[in-house]
Amino acid sequence: NAGVTQTPKFRVLKTGQSMTLLCAQDMNHEYMYWYRQDPGMGLRLIHYSVGEGTTAKGEVPDGYNVSRLKKQNFLLGLESAAPSQTSVYFCASSPTGAGYTEAFFGQGTRLTVV
Amino acid sequence: GENVEQHPSTLSVQEGDSAVIKCTYSDSASNYFPWYKQELGKRPQLIIDIRSNVGEKKDQRIAVTLNKTAKHFSLHITETQPEDSAVYFCAAGRSGGKSTFGDGTTLTVKP
């Protein structure tokens, strides 16, 4: 099993450009999450999904959109990138909700916005 | 919402010593408390977790204790080794909800 896979691993964007980060999981998990990790600030939840076709806002949703058209995929979109969105992004999945069970993380995407 | 505070932010110990990281949480309904380890450049991975119906859990050199009344829980690592050097995150959550993470502790084990 691959677990949770993120694409791409690295990306440099110019301010105002758009991009989509893809997260794929092969564990048949219901819940999926997108976090951003900044130095000294831990993991902050951007958006999450409790099942196919559902999405919800986390702590820091502004400037991001998400979609979960298929159970195994969770996409994170940046419509107009800003330097403040420079960060490492982690996708995670869990079978019954990360508030109750282990979350499995992808390898991360390092995004730089110049 | 839930608020999780983690201390210290950095911790340096000599190899063989013990390390303790403490977290407090605000939501008394939280009942799941995982700890994740993140090595440099890698993804966070679960190392141990505890549920609110248990006061202590141990797995070889690592243990977690939970005080529900005081709303705090701690990670204890004994006989530390250089490979224990990493960032450790605590989290708190509850059934049907999401986990809220602490800001992390950078542990350095000096050989």
Side-chain angles (χ1 to χ4, degrees), chain A residues 37 45 98-100 103 105-106, chain B residues 36 38 43 51 89 94-95 99:
Chain A
Q37 183 175 34
L45 184 64
Y100 194 68
F105 286 85
Chain B
Y36 291 85
Q38 185 180 27
R43 71 190 79 190
R51 299 190 187 277
F89 292 98
R94 54 193 171 104
S95 304
S99 280

Side-chain angles (χ1 to χ4, degrees), chain A residues 4 35 37 40-43 45 48 90 97-103 105-107, chain B residues 31-32 36 38 42-44 46 51 89 93-99 101-103:
Chain A
V4 180
Y35 294 92
Q37 183 175 34
M41 298 185 76
L43 291 155
L45 184 64
Y48 65 103
F90 284 99
Y100 194 68
T101 56
E102 176 182 0
F105 286 85
Q107 77 275 35
Chain B
N31 56 13
Y32 177 64
Y36 291 85
Q38 185 180 27
K42 301 286 183 64
R43 71 190 79 190
L46 183 78
R51 299 190 187 277
F89 292 98
R94 54 193 171 104
S95 304
K98 338 171 264 304
S99 280
F101 285 81
D103 287 343

Side-chain angles (χ1 to χ4, degrees), chain B residues 12-37:
Chain B
S12 182
V13 300
Q14 286 295 134
E15 183 176 359
D17 287 350
S18 294
V20 180
I21 303 170
K22 299 180 179 181
C23 288
T24 60
Y25 62 99
S26 61
D27 186 354
S28 57
S30 289
N31 56 13
Y32 177 64
F33 308 94
W35 285 89
Y36 291 85
K37 176 183 180 182

Side-chain angles (χ1 to χ4, degrees), chain A residues 4-7 20-25 30-35 45-51 53-57 65-77 90-93:
Chain A
V4 180
T5 304
Q6 292 180 230
T7 310
T20 300
L21 282 68
L22 171 64
C23 178
Q25 54 97 1
E30 290 293 334
Y31 290 68
M32 296 187 75
Y33 310 83
W34 276 106
Y35 294 92
L45 184 64
I46 304 170
H47 286 281
Y48 65 103
S49 168
V50 300
T54 75
T55 63
K57 294 180 180 179
N65 56 75
V66 289
S67 65
R68 182 120 180 251
L69 299 179
K70 293 183 178 180
K71 186 177 183 179
Q72 63 268 34
N73 295 339
F74 195 30
L75 278 64
L76 178 71
F90 284 99
C91 175
S93 71

